[in-house]
Amino acid sequence: MSLVLYEAEGRIAVITLNRPEARNAMSPELSAALGEAFDQFEADDDLWVAILAGNGRVFCAGADLKALSEGRTAGIITAEEGFGRFARRQRDKPVIAAVDRPAVAGGFELVMGCDLVVASTEAAFGLPEVKRSLVASEGGVTRLPRRIPTNIAMELALTGDTIDVHRAHTLGLVNVVCEPGQALAEAKKLAKRIVANAPLAVRAIRHSVLDGLETTEAEGFAIAAGYSREISQTEDFLEGPRAFVEKRPPVWKGR
């Protein structure tokens, strides 16, 4: 049985953690398989958006503690790409998390590594590392305080408690809340709204937003202008206005 399921649907790749018997806990083997799946997605010019999902009762329970106790941390967290070969991965295309059940510890950090989050009412989020004398170093203590109020991030990190999807949505961690069992379907709907747009512009906008987060406003303008100049040299840059004038849907080529 494959540890990661990979399926292409039109312009969308669905990448699913498939270790349900272990609550999708990240082992070195699962990490390698997940990294290979995202390598495949990034290299495929026909795929423009990915969805990260998890089979079973838990989206991902974090690191496989048995593997950690055996000293096999290196395979779970890599120097360049981080937890699951995803948390710190440098990539161009957007990824949506489809969270139907709890995402805790490294699982929550995988979610925070995605660009958008769809979660069902059975989802929950938390950083329980402190309960095992661990540090949520793959995004938990770094990304979370940048996305929600610092004192709330501190509460989650220091108590190890989880929050339900409604509080996560209120805090801005979740884009769409849905009924149980519908996270993947709703994520596909969101992905289709994205792939209807020019793919190179989507990637440039994603980079502009992320690159500009830690800059001054003036630097952010300069970053966005640079990406805009790059897009202006593409075929799709001409196709957008041409399709509008001709009153037809644009046909994006991604070049």
Side-chain angles (χ1 to χ4, degrees):
M1 183 175 66
S2 177
L3 290 173
V4 171
L5 304 179
Y6 187 97
E7 184 178 5
E9 298 183 14
R11 298 293 189 183
I12 302 166
V14 179
I15 299 171
T16 306
L17 303 173
N18 191 39
R19 199 184 178 214
E21 74 286 354
R23 305 200 308 164
N24 291 321
M26 191 65 64
S27 64
E29 296 77 16
L30 179 55
S31 178
L34 185 60
E36 289 170 6
F38 274 102
D39 288 343
Q40 182 178 345
F41 165 64
E42 283 284 336
D44 192 333
D45 291 337
D46 291 328
L47 296 173
W48 297 352
V49 176
I51 297 171
L52 177 61
N55 271 342
R57 295 177 299 171
V58 178
F59 174 83
C60 176
D64 186 325
L65 296 182
K66 182 180 179 181
L68 291 184
S69 70
E70 295 169 349
R72 297 195 294 145
T73 306
I76 297 172
I77 301 174
T78 65
E80 292 186 355
E81 296 168 315
F83 182 81
R85 285 193 57 198
F86 179 77
R88 287 184 276 127
R89 170 181 285 264
Q90 298 297 310
R91 52 188 173 78
D92 291 322
K93 304 176 186 179
V95 178
I96 302 169
V99 188
D100 214 6
R101 298 294 181 88
V104 296
F108 189 13
E109 292 172 317
L110 290 179
V111 171
M112 286 190 281
C114 296
D115 300 291
L116 300 167
V117 181
V118 176
S120 83
T121 53
E122 292 188 352
F125 305 90
L127 299 172
E129 283 89 343
V130 69
K131 297 178 184 291
R132 297 289 180 265
S133 194
L134 302 172
V135 176
S137 59
E138 289 300 300
V141 298
T142 304
R143 287 188 172 128
L144 193 58
R146 300 183 185 194
R147 299 189 181 183
I148 66 176
T150 305
N151 62 318
I152 305 300
M154 194 73 79
E155 174 193 340
L156 296 182
L158 295 183
T159 65
D161 294 342
T162 59
I163 58 174
D164 64 19
V165 70
H166 298 295
R167 190 177 185 198
H169 183 256
T170 299
L171 290 169
L173 292 170
V174 172
N175 296 84
V176 178
V177 178
C178 61
E179 293 299 312
Q182 295 301 306
L184 181 56
E186 290 297 324
K188 288 179 181 179
K189 290 180 183 178
L190 182 56
K192 288 176 181 178
R193 289 164 55 194
I194 296 173
V195 299
N197 300 316
L200 297 183
V202 165
R203 295 169 206 173
I205 290 168
R206 177 183 177 274
H207 280 299
S208 295
V209 171
L210 295 178
D211 294 351
L213 282 176
E214 302 303 317
T215 67
T216 65
E217 186 177 83
E219 291 168 335
F221 274 114
I223 289 170
Y227 283 113
S228 182
R229 285 192 295 273
E230 291 180 12
I231 292 300
S232 70
Q233 303 303 310
T234 67
E235 292 182 33
D236 283 351
F237 179 78
L238 299 176
E239 169 63 8
R242 184 182 297 124
F244 177 80
V245 171
E246 296 173 0
K247 298 181 180 180
R248 60 172 175 81
V251 180
W252 307 121
K253 296 181 179 178
R255 61 176 186 264

